[in-house]
Amino acid sequence: MNWTCLFLIGTCSTWGATDAPFTGDAESISLSESGARIYGQDLMLKRDTPLRLVPGPHLFIDDYYFETAEGVSRVVNVPERDARIPNPIVAGKEDGCFQPYMTVLRDGETGRFRLWFGRRTDDSNASRSRLGYMESPDGIHWERPARVLDDPGGPIQFGVSVVDDGAGAANPAQRYKYAWWFDGGLRIATSPDGLVWAPLSPAVLIRQNHDITGLFYDPIRSRYTATISVYRPGETWQGNRRISMHSHSADLLHWARPRYVVLPETGVDEGETQFYAMDGYLARGDLLVGMVKVLRDDLKADDPPDPPEAYGVGYTSLAWSRDGETWWRDPAHYFNPDPIPGAWDHAHAWIDEQVLVGDEVYLYYGGYARGHKINRFEERQIGLVTVARDRYAGWAGQSAPGRIVTAPLILEGAALSVNARVDGVWVKGQITDAAGKAIEGFTFADAAPLTGDKVAHLLSWKRPLDELAEKPVRLEFELTNATLYAVEMFANMREAVETTMPVTRWEDTICKLEQRLAKEQPAKGATVFAGSSTMVLWDLPKFFPNIATVNCGFSGSHLRDSVYYADRLIIPLAPKAIVVYAGDNDIAQGLTAEDVADDFGKFAQKICVALPETRILYLSIKPSLARWDKWPVMDRANKLIEKFCRTDERVEFVDMTGMSLGPDGKPRADFLRKDGLHLNEKGYAAWTEVLASRLTGRQARPEGRL
């Protein structure tokens, strides 16, 4: 693909914000009052000014950020079913699930997952529902039996949309909001706990002629949005169709005039395409991503159908918005029913909820086995699939390198990461000025290629990104056998490193260290060496033959990693002393001297609380040829840590700087390996001489405690 794109300008409308509350019938509104767009069919408007890339994720779900793209193609990242998930996770027969609608929330205080679903009534009334409720520690395995909550002051026909305003809700008694459809339209109730509900109003709040409603809170625009379904004819399709509208409110009682957000179009949508609802919204950066439930009652799941009267197939498509009013629908199928006959979700697969869980998004969906109206009290069930974070769609390059160039941007941050799956060679990035000329220090040659499959590859160049503040620039990516999904801007390097290099990345390494320690069973009271590769490469039995030592270092680690894993690696050993070398990698990655000093303070605090009699000896960050350009920051970190060590007699600073510099004031090459970074035999011998005297004899220290 090779094109010059047109771009969307947000309408910047305050649609409904100053209008009188809507009191009519939603289906009577003209179809001209529409924010519905079809991706790949409707053109976007060209921007006149650079986009501001603010901190947060920026998804490449479409070509919004691109000016040109050559040798790449857009690919939808279809969720794959995982046999390890015990689907269906909420069953029709066992749990009473009766509808494909649900809300799943993760409690911010406990971390537990809470699920509300449409449950059948005791008399299996096809026009009534109850509110079922379950909890789970992991979002996968749900505790039974399911609870049946009391109705919210009146009957429920359909609808299970629950919003949690959070622990800081302005009115704790109304922290939770619940929306459903009954007797002509949208109704809302509130609750302090999500279990006992009271109606917010006895009246219908938005009148609509189709019995599907939804409610979500838009955190980008700080407002509630109702998704309402209507059934009506239109000029771009034949007959009556189910279609979706949005209305907004600040108080849930007064609602703006609804507007259409999903509409079918003959020639684009095949057969009798209907949109049962849009729900499962998730905000990512400036983007809202919704899940569209597409219904094809003109299709059958099986040929011949089972039973003969079975009909109806349902699948999910993507829709998204950057202004909350104009919604771009992708006509491509995002999630289809299971093609295997007899599968519990063989006829329908309607995603109704998205929950962000670490580096994944949990997609909860309603599944039907054989058709739209077949055995609805047992065959409508809830399942789960997962996808990597922000990977709804991406741009793939093949064996011949593809290239993407963005429109002019203003980079409002200090670091940038890339969400990419690299199956072959690499993704490379460079920064150009607005005219397309590569900027020195930010070229392809100045950046390391990104390899592997990660939702957050840290992009780094020879110069710091904040040098480009307020300057219009372009990002340019080269992709070879790779797919690019998103970028994320970070306000500072600390946040970037913690996101792209989480402490949990060491879990396999730590497990192996634990296994080694369990096998060796070192005696209590030894001296533990902790930190990065400088410790790992130190031959402790050779250089410290008369001191009991335990090596707990792991190569490539940062100080914060040692803080996190101290409870598992160091504290159980109850050492007499701990020798720490870390901070070198931290600064090389872009962290500040203050970041490193702060992390060492956390390490010392943790050890001094758990092991008040244990000494801590911090070895100063060494000057090296490979990282000589970082030495001013490293030197400052050393000075800050040395100052901190004076506050407690248990914490000592061991300065290796003087011996590591030559007469010319530069790193001694004869102390370093060929890589110019790590100590060689001679370097370790010199360091051992200094450290051994500190371990076997103790110098007088200033008084003080942490």
Side-chain angles (χ1 to χ4, degrees):
M1 185 180 296
N2 182 357
W3 80 98
T4 299
C5 298
L6 298 177
F7 296 89
L8 170 69
I9 297 178
T11 61
C12 298
S13 164
T14 54
W15 160 35
T18 59
D19 296 342
F22 179 72
T23 57
D25 297 322
E27 63 273 12
S28 68
I29 293 174
S30 169
L31 289 169
S32 64
E33 299 183 44
S34 171
R37 302 289 185 271
I38 300 176
Y39 182 68
Q41 301 294 318
D42 297 310
L43 293 178
M44 297 179 176
L45 299 177
K46 189 175 177 65
R47 290 184 297 268
D48 296 325
T49 58
L51 276 170
R52 304 192 77 89
L53 215 62
V54 300
H58 300 271
L59 277 60
F60 295 161
I61 196 170
D62 54 16
D63 49 329
Y64 174 73
Y65 290 102
F66 303 166
E67 182 157 302
T68 61
E70 301 173 355
V72 297
S73 57
R74 182 177 180 269
V75 291
V76 175
N77 187 32
V78 176
E80 296 183 0
R81 291 166 172 81
D82 187 341
R84 295 171 297 181
I85 297 175
N87 281 318
I89 58 171
V90 181
K93 190 171 184 179
E94 179 182 4
D95 303 312
C97 184
F98 162 54
Q99 292 297 322
Y101 318 113
M102 79 291 297
T103 294
V104 183
L105 301 174
R106 194 173 189 185
D107 190 280
E109 293 103 80
T110 66
R112 287 176 64 80
F113 292 76
R114 308 181 69 186
L115 183 150
W116 294 260
F117 66 97
R119 191 186 187 282
R120 64 173 176 262
T121 60
D122 291 341
D123 62 351
S124 297
N125 185 333
S127 297
R128 293 291 185 273
S129 300
R130 300 294 304 277
L131 194 55
Y133 177 78
M134 303 175 80
E135 291 192 5
S136 167
D138 59 8
I140 301 172
H141 305 88
W142 296 85
E143 297 164 355
R144 291 178 167 83
R147 291 180 59 176
V148 183
L149 305 183
D150 290 339
D151 289 345
I156 302 168
Q157 184 152 331
F158 303 125
V160 194
S161 284
V162 177
V163 173
D164 178 9
D165 283 348
N171 184 352
Q174 296 183 344
R175 170 177 171 173
Y176 293 87
K177 279 76 177 176
Y178 165 51
W180 77 101
W181 193 96
F182 181 72
D183 194 22
L186 172 75
R187 296 172 182 267
I188 293 178
T190 63
S191 168
D193 57 8
L195 302 175
V196 179
W197 299 93
L200 185 65
S201 167
V204 167
L205 297 171
I206 304 177
R207 294 203 307 270
Q208 68 199 90
N209 69 351
H210 187 229
D211 51 16
I212 305 303
T213 61
L215 178 70
F216 75 98
Y217 182 76
D218 180 349
I220 304 171
R221 281 153 282 274
S222 302
R223 65 188 183 187
Y224 297 97
T225 297
T227 305
I228 57 176
S229 180
V230 298
Y231 189 62
R232 58 161 295 168
E235 296 177 357
T236 61
W237 64 87
Q238 296 180 347
N240 287 319
R241 304 283 181 93
R242 297 170 174 91
I243 54 180
S244 295
M245 306 179 78
H246 275 175
S247 179
H248 306 307
S249 175
D251 61 6
L252 296 169
L253 289 171
H254 305 90
W255 289 88
R257 184 178 178 84
R259 179 169 169 165
Y260 298 97
V261 291
V262 180
L263 296 174
E265 184 172 327
T266 300
V268 176
D269 301 302
E270 297 177 350
E272 190 184 314
T273 296
Q274 304 190 59
F275 303 113
Y276 223 77
M278 178 163 64
D279 217 320
Y281 301 95
L282 185 64
R284 297 296 295 155
D286 65 346
L287 193 72
L288 283 173
V289 180
M291 297 290 163
V292 181
K293 299 181 182 68
V294 184
L295 175 65
R296 292 285 306 278
D297 268 348
D298 55 325
L299 299 179
K300 296 176 174 61
D302 292 301
D303 185 16
D306 173 28
E309 65 272 19
Y311 67 92
V313 170
Y315 62 89
T316 304
S317 290
L318 293 170
W320 57 89
S321 176
R322 289 186 171 85
D323 61 10
E325 299 179 13
T326 302
W327 283 84
W328 295 86
R329 173 176 62 88
D330 189 345
H333 294 211
Y334 179 62
F335 186 56
N336 281 318
D338 192 327
I340 300 175
W344 71 273
D345 54 351
H346 179 55
H348 282 52
W350 278 346
I351 296 173
D352 199 54
E353 187 64 280
Q354 299 189 73
V355 180
L356 188 62
V357 183
D359 287 344
E360 292 185 312
V361 176
Y362 284 17
L363 302 173
Y364 295 89
Y365 68 100
Y368 294 7
R370 292 180 291 168
H372 189 185
K373 306 289 185 181
I374 300 300
N375 193 13
R376 68 186 73 189
F377 297 111
E378 291 187 359
E379 292 187 12
R380 294 181 175 182
Q381 307 181 90
I382 295 172
L384 169 65
V385 288
T386 66
V387 291
R389 186 180 74 223
D390 298 337
R391 291 188 177 183
Y392 301 101
W395 298 82
Q398 305 304 318
S399 55
R403 184 162 295 198
I404 292 170
V405 179
T406 71
L409 307 170
I410 301 293
L411 305 180
E412 295 191 2
L416 196 64
S417 72
V418 168
N419 185 332
R421 184 181 70 238
V422 183
D423 299 318
V425 184
W426 64 59
V427 171
K428 295 196 295 185
Q430 74 173 2
I431 302 178
T432 73
D433 61 20
K437 181 181 178 182
I439 300 173
E440 184 179 354
F442 295 98
T443 67
F444 286 130
D446 297 320
L450 306 177
T451 60
D453 185 356
K454 293 178 66 176
V455 297
H457 297 268
L458 185 61
L459 277 170
S460 57
W461 291 274
K462 288 184 177 180
R463 292 166 57 190
L465 200 64
D466 52 16
E467 287 186 8
L468 302 176
E470 295 304 316
K471 297 178 182 178
V473 298
R474 299 177 189 269
L475 297 176
E476 188 171 338
F477 297 101
E478 186 175 283
L479 292 73
T480 306
N481 291 331
T483 305
L484 185 61
Y485 296 98
V487 296
E488 184 165 359
M489 180 63 73
F490 298 94
N492 55 68
M493 280 301 303
R494 177 71 179 228
E495 181 184 347
V497 169
E498 289 181 351
T499 301
T500 60
M501 300 180 179
V503 292
T504 52
R505 74 192 188 281
W506 296 110
E507 190 58 35
D508 289 346
T509 298
I510 299 305
C511 287
K512 291 177 182 177
L513 274 171
E514 288 177 319
Q515 292 169 5
R516 194 201 81 202
L517 293 172
K519 183 178 180 180
E520 294 176 355
Q521 294 188 339
K524 305 290 185 182
T527 295
V528 167
F529 283 63
S532 56
S533 56
T534 292
M535 293 311 204
V536 175
L537 298 172
W538 208 329
D539 189 342
L540 300 182
K542 174 181 177 179
F543 285 102
F544 299 95
N546 300 318
I547 299 175
T549 59
V550 182
N551 199 327
C552 291
F554 44 110
S555 297
S557 62
H558 294 185
L559 257 170
R560 64 189 175 90
D561 301 320
S562 292
V563 177
Y564 184 81
Y565 288 109
D567 295 305
R568 290 168 59 179
L569 293 182
I570 300 173
I571 292 173
L573 299 177
K576 177 182 179 181
I578 302 169
V579 180
V580 184
Y581 182 87
D584 198 327
N585 296 323
D586 314 43
I587 291 171
Q589 203 61 60
L591 295 187
T592 67
E594 289 73 16
D595 290 331
V596 173
D598 182 60
D599 284 339
F600 178 71
K602 293 174 182 176
F603 180 84
Q605 180 73 32
K606 175 176 271 193
I607 297 300
C608 287
V609 169
L611 303 169
E613 302 302 319
T614 297
R615 296 169 63 195
I616 303 171
L617 295 89
Y618 181 82
L619 307 186
S620 66
I621 303 173
K622 67 181 181 296
S624 67
L625 295 172
R627 294 175 176 172
W628 184 236
D629 61 319
K630 304 291 186 183
W631 177 243
V633 182
M634 294 176 175
D635 188 43
R636 174 167 170 74
N638 284 337
K639 288 179 170 61
L640 290 173
I641 294 172
E642 182 178 20
K643 181 179 179 180
F644 172 83
C645 290
R646 295 194 188 105
T647 65
D648 194 292
E649 63 180 5
R650 295 168 293 182
V651 187
E652 306 174 33
F653 182 79
V654 183
D655 193 354
M656 301 295 192
T657 302
M659 74 171 64
S660 301
L661 293 174
D664 59 356
K666 295 183 179 180
R668 290 183 56 169
D670 61 330
F671 273 20
L672 301 172
R673 299 187 181 197
K674 290 181 179 181
D675 61 9
L677 176 63
H678 296 98
L679 292 173
N680 60 19
E681 193 89 351
K682 184 176 180 179
Y684 277 120
W687 278 38
T688 299
E689 185 177 352
V690 173
L691 180 58
S693 64
R694 296 291 284 267
L695 291 174
T696 56
R698 188 156 186 173
Q699 300 178 3
R701 298 298 317 281
E703 301 217 353
R705 290 285 179 188
L706 285 174

